[in-house]
Amino acid sequence: MIKVCKFGGTSMADGNTMLRVKAIVEGDPARRYIVVSAPGKRYGGDEKVTDLLYAVHEEVAESGHVGERYERVRARFSGVARELGLSLDIEGILDETAKEIEAENTPDFVASRGEYLSARMMAALLGVPFVDARDVVKFDAEGRLDERTYPLLREALKGKRRAVVAGFYGEGADGKIRTFSRGGSDISGAVVARAAGADVYENWTDVSGFMACDPRIVENPVLIRSLSYKELRELSYMGANVLHSESIFPVREANIPIRIKNTFRPEDEGTLILPTSRYTFGGRTVTGIAGKKNFTVIFIEKSLMNAEVGFAYRVLALLVKHNITFEHMPSGIDTMSFVIDSSVLGHGVLEQLCEEIREEVHPGVLRVFDNISLIAVVGHGMSRAVGTASRIFRAIADAGVNVRMIDQGSSEINVIVGVDNENYERTLRAVYNEFFRE
Ligand code: ASP
């Protein structure tokens, strides 16, 4: 049995939490390969080392050398090394790192040093080898994970009883350090799990698993004890941020289950995420509800749109021209709409796009709605239960909320509802109460 364990920032925040990690790892001989994040917040209002490192990058860009911000990074690492009595020349490593940052001040390189230092410390604490992600995690010229990563990782782990691998970064095709997107150590953990042929990928964090809804909005939501990769993808993409939404791709190919565990309550069972094929329907209609605010809907209507060859193609080409991705595209016979993250439409982009759509396809109506929230109701059970959609919409109507948009995902495991931002919380609560407080 091989378990790959990824520990997040709060698990690596200080000496005490690192000792917890050590106890967890050593408590199970199957926990062989450990992937770590950079130290996170120790208390509310504290700084995450990664955020601080992005600020160091700016500091060096302005002045040419590391300064007060880097000293704060140094204090975090050397304080913990002292506290734990590590036999690691942390001051020497930090001096060396400062020089490297001054020589290669890219945001990715500087940010990656949080995971590098954190992994070196964890390896020293456990007394096991450190594996530098630069040597084994490779990206191709487009910035995607290069398949060479898997044999390289396998080779590096071969013959090692245990090892610590730094999360979040790897090496780009140009030989420079690159990071995944924020929260990407989850992806590193999944990559290591696949390379190691793990039986399970344990993702250790500071919550006891996935909740059926955002606990900041719904009081004491139920824990999701198990869900499928597909459900996870839908929920994490829509803002349930326990796990990076891209972490399922590496493990999915090898059918490796993921278990979310809580470093601060290791006895809790957590949430098990299973390959969709192995997922057994537990009788629930809805597995979870998630949502995000601040979308813009561009609505286009034109009589006989259906008969006009290339209509959608021409509108889509304009989105491509502006490098805009859309989240959803609900459409009818004579209508089509695009749901787009509002943040990419600033600085006049929206106005220009609308102008170009008018010129290109001469719509009868072109309307823009902004301040829209999207709510995803997710569950394999929905396709089996009769009347689910009507329950969702009745609950929303009873809460006095007007639905601005509906999209049923073609995967049939989710229904997306758009409402005004001001009704976001109310809608989440109404749908949650309908399905979970029966
Ligand atoms: N430290 C990185 C971040 O804060 C990556 C991670 O923790 O997963 O985004």
Side-chain angles (χ1 to χ4, degrees):
M1 170 81 127
I2 298 179
K3 294 182 179 173
V4 166
C5 307
K6 179 261 170 179
F7 290 89
T10 40
S11 308
M12 296 298 295
D14 60 26
N16 274 330
T17 62
M18 285 178 68
L19 288 173
R20 278 181 180 276
V21 171
K22 180 175 158 76
I24 289 167
V25 171
E26 292 177 350
D28 182 346
R31 295 195 173 119
R32 295 188 45 194
Y33 305 119
I34 314 304
V35 177
V36 295
S37 280
K41 293 185 183 180
R42 293 161 291 186
Y43 44 82
D46 192 18
E47 294 175 300
K48 281 185 70 163
V49 164
T50 309
D51 294 335
L52 194 47
L53 284 164
Y54 283 114
V56 167
H57 157 73
E58 281 161 27
E59 177 176 65
V60 176
E62 277 159 29
S63 68
H65 46 78
V66 297
E68 181 271 328
R69 293 174 187 170
Y70 189 72
E71 285 313 306
R72 296 206 317 255
V73 174
R74 180 189 290 277
R76 290 266 321 239
F77 285 103
S78 51
V80 172
R82 223 176 307 121
E83 187 186 332
L84 296 174
L86 297 183
S87 61
L88 183 74
D89 175 20
I90 192 72
E91 293 301 335
I93 296 171
L94 284 159
D95 288 343
E96 185 63 26
T97 302
K99 276 196 220 123
E100 286 169 353
I101 289 176
E102 287 173 353
E104 188 182 334
N105 186 33
T106 63
D108 283 21
F109 179 73
V110 183
S112 74
R113 297 304 85 188
E115 272 67 14
Y116 170 79
L117 293 163
S118 170
R120 291 214 52 181
M121 300 237 296
M122 197 64 213
L125 180 63
L126 293 172
V128 306
F130 157 75
V131 174
D132 193 344
R134 167 171 232 159
D135 302 330
V136 287
V137 176
K138 304 285 178 183
F139 295 96
D140 65 16
E142 271 82 52
R144 286 180 307 235
L145 188 79
D146 190 323
E147 288 295 310
R148 278 187 305 142
T149 298
Y150 295 107
L152 283 169
L153 254 171
R154 262 194 292 279
E155 195 50 40
L157 300 179
K158 200 162 84 189
K160 294 191 172 68
R161 175 76 205 103
R162 281 202 165 108
V164 177
V165 186
F168 193 37
Y169 70 93
E171 187 185 64
D174 58 0
K176 291 207 153 76
I177 293 268
R178 268 194 78 103
T179 64
F180 290 105
S181 56
R182 292 300 304 266
S185 297
D186 285 339
I187 310 174
S188 309
V191 168
V192 173
R194 178 171 162 204
D199 297 281
V200 57
Y201 168 28
E202 287 185 344
N203 190 291
W204 291 81
T205 176
D206 54 4
V207 289
S208 291
F210 256 95
M211 304 294 157
C213 198
D214 186 340
R216 290 166 302 188
I217 296 170
V218 164
E219 210 181 313
N220 271 329
V222 300
L223 175 79
I224 306 178
R225 296 179 63 186
S226 72
L227 73 163
S228 73
Y229 288 163
K230 264 198 190 153
E231 291 173 326
L232 167 78
R233 169 98 177 118
E234 301 286 348
L235 288 169
S236 57
Y237 185 75
M238 281 300 282
N241 56 7
V242 178
L243 197 67
H244 194 296
S245 67
E246 288 167 32
S247 14
I248 50 163
F249 297 116
V251 287
R252 189 174 66 182
E253 320 219 336
N255 276 328
I256 301 168
I258 309 173
R259 188 176 279 285
I260 309 286
K261 294 280 287 178
N262 187 346
T263 302
F264 304 90
R265 292 179 62 99
E267 62 289 353
D268 286 357
E269 186 192 347
T271 295
L272 183 64
I273 303 153
L274 288 166
T276 310
S277 58
R278 276 210 250 155
Y279 178 77
T280 45
F281 176 58
R284 286 170 315 198
T285 308
V286 170
T287 301
I289 305 157
K292 275 194 207 167
K293 281 185 163 177
N294 298 326
F295 290 92
T296 299
V297 179
I298 301 179
F299 172 84
I300 304 168
E301 184 172 343
K302 188 174 186 188
S303 303
L304 294 175
M305 179 190 286
N306 63 319
E308 206 174 308
V309 174
F311 188 95
Y313 175 78
R314 274 147 60 211
V315 179
L316 285 168
L318 294 173
L319 293 177
V320 173
K321 179 182 156 199
H322 289 277
N323 205 13
I324 293 170
T325 55
F326 61 88
E327 310 291 316
H328 299 279
M329 191 182 126
S331 58
I333 308 173
D334 290 331
T335 64
M336 102 196 296
S337 22
F338 293 94
V339 183
I340 300 169
D341 183 339
S342 307
S343 65
V344 302
L345 294 171
H347 309 290
V349 174
L350 176 64
E351 293 70 18
Q352 196 174 344
L353 178 65
C354 291
E355 195 46 49
E356 290 176 18
I357 294 175
R358 280 193 195 94
E359 278 168 25
E360 182 68 37
V361 293
H362 307 288
V365 177
L366 189 153
R367 233 179 285 147
V368 172
F369 308 95
D370 54 12
N371 295 318
I372 299 286
S373 294
L374 296 183
I375 288 156
V377 188
V378 177
H380 288 287
M382 293 199 307
S383 59
R384 301 167 204 232
V386 176
T388 309
S390 79
R391 283 178 70 188
I392 296 172
F393 295 111
R394 191 174 0 93
I396 298 175
D398 288 349
V401 174
N402 181 21
V403 172
R404 305 295 302 267
M405 189 210 88
I406 301 168
D407 193 10
Q408 171 157 27
S410 49
S411 56
E412 268 203 62
I413 69 159
N414 66 351
V415 172
I416 309 272
V417 181
V419 300
D420 289 327
N421 275 348
E422 61 181 32
N423 289 324
Y424 174 68
E425 285 84 1
R426 206 176 340 157
T427 310
L428 271 183
R429 285 189 205 111
V431 179
Y432 181 85
N433 289 343
E434 172 65 25
F435 290 96
F436 291 93
R437 301 213 204 273
E438 292 163 290

